[in-house]
Amino acid sequence: QLPARREPPPFGDPALGEPLTAACGGCHGDRGVSHDPVVPSLAGQEPNYLVDAIRAYRDHERSHEDMVTDRTDEEIEHIAAFYAVQQSGAAVDREEPVRTMAAKCDRCHGRGVQNTAMAVPTLNGQNRDYLVDVMKQYRDDDRGSSMLHKMSSGFSDPMIEALADHYAAESPR
């Protein structure tokens, strides 16, 4: 069940904010519903929080290489108003094909990853039940990696089981 759609905030104009979100939509989704588990959804978000967060990026109190930082206070209020009134949705599309989800996991866990700064295991050929248990532990924040918790926080049990099936069936090399 989705939460009720928010009323427009007392500041900003959602209609003026929409065109200002063109660059945001590439990561956060067209209307603020992200389909990438490491990118937050902005749809239905509390508008004062959004204003504060966007200003923090602009003022370099927060940093991320892809964040747009050249917005005026008025533009930021319009952007926040636009996202605040959008219908929120699940961060992860439960109908997304398992191969698409596995491709996201493979960014770090894939066979060809050669980044020596990251010590991450290959998932291919791992025991299915082990993978299910571990992915649920990460999802439920019962295991140490905050990055994996963030990545898997929207995964349903069926999605975890499908990913585990996928990796258990793949050869380790």
Side-chain angles (χ1 to χ4, degrees):
Q1 181 175 350
L2 294 176
R5 189 171 281 189
R6 284 185 182 274
E7 292 294 319
F11 55 81
D13 182 336
L16 294 176
E18 183 174 13
L20 298 173
T21 66
C24 311
C27 296
H28 295 281
D30 292 341
R31 307 206 65 78
V33 176
S34 172
H35 293 286
D36 188 330
V38 297
V39 177
S41 289
L42 303 178
Q45 185 59 261
E46 204 287 318
N48 291 302
Y49 169 80
L50 286 173
V51 167
D52 290 345
I54 298 168
R55 283 183 183 155
Y57 284 111
R58 180 197 63 197
D59 298 341
H60 305 287
E61 295 165 9
R62 282 184 169 185
S63 64
H64 190 284
E65 64 273 6
D66 294 329
M67 294 298 296
V68 175
T69 59
D70 62 345
R71 299 291 182 198
T72 66
D73 284 344
E74 184 178 34
E75 289 173 323
I76 289 171
E77 289 179 357
H78 294 323
I79 291 169
F82 170 75
Y83 282 127
V85 300
Q86 299 308 304
Q87 182 65 51
S88 62
V92 174
D93 183 354
R94 296 185 194 282
E95 301 301 318
E96 190 166 9
V98 87
R99 290 210 180 270
T100 302
M101 290 305 299
K104 293 175 184 177
C105 299
D106 287 344
R107 292 176 191 163
C108 296
H109 294 281
R111 291 183 192 127
V113 175
Q114 299 292 325
N115 185 347
T116 57
M118 296 184 346
V120 295
T122 299
L123 302 179
N124 293 325
Q126 190 55 262
N127 178 287
R128 180 206 184 275
D129 292 337
Y130 171 78
L131 288 172
V132 169
D133 288 344
V134 169
M135 284 191 276
K136 286 180 179 180
Q137 289 170 12
Y138 282 124
R139 177 198 63 197
D140 299 339
D141 205 17
D142 291 335
R143 193 167 175 147
S145 174
S146 63
M147 176 57 74
L148 284 173
H149 168 69
K150 290 174 189 172
M151 295 215 38
S152 62
S153 64
F155 288 4
S156 65
D157 285 352
M159 175 54 75
I160 287 175
E161 290 167 9
L163 282 168
D165 289 341
H166 169 80
Y167 283 110
E170 294 289 316
S171 72
R173 298 270 173 213

